Amino acid sequence: MYRHISKYKFLFICLLLTGCATHFSPDAVGDLFGFFSGLWHGLIFILSVSVNLLSWFLSLFGISFLSDIQIIGRPNTGFGYYCGFILGLLAHGSANN
């Protein structure tokens, strides 16, 4: 009996916390990242990760440097964006001779 009550509490807390999820403004939703944006983001993945790590390291010392650089563009179109992103990532490994 008590086991079911704890499941219901857990479910209630999960439903309560979904209201804290990030929502995008109507202006941002009108301009989604698509396939070609995903392809570009996949191609510049190494640069994005490098800048992200540098930004994170500098933030430890209170320096805000390029903090708006993200690895994956949001909001995006979903499947199309991720297909382009994966194709862009595959371009890094296809140059092996």
Side-chain angles (χ1 to χ4, degrees):
M1 169 119 180
Y2 292 112
R3 190 170 200 190
H4 294 291
I5 292 173
S6 65
K7 287 181 185 179
Y8 292 127
K9 284 181 184 179
F10 177 74
L11 181 63
F12 177 73
I13 290 171
C14 287
L15 289 175
L16 187 66
L17 290 177
T18 57
C20 300
T22 302
H23 300 285
F24 297 106
S25 67
D27 297 331
V29 173
D31 191 21
L32 300 173
F33 290 108
F35 175 80
F36 292 108
S37 296
L39 183 66
W40 175 248
H41 291 162
L43 290 171
I44 63 169
F45 175 75
I46 302 296
L47 178 65
S48 299
V49 169
S50 302
V51 170
N52 247 344
L53 288 174
L54 177 66
S55 175
W56 171 79
F57 180 73
L58 292 176
S59 72
L60 296 174
F61 301 104
I63 301 170
S64 177
F65 178 70
L66 297 174
S67 60
D68 58 340
I69 302 293
Q70 296 181 4
I71 295 173
I72 292 182
R74 289 189 180 92
N76 58 46
T77 57
F79 184 73
Y81 175 83
Y82 291 119
C83 285
F85 189 81
I86 289 171
L87 287 175
L89 287 177
L90 290 175
H92 292 290
S94 63
N96 295 335
N97 289 327

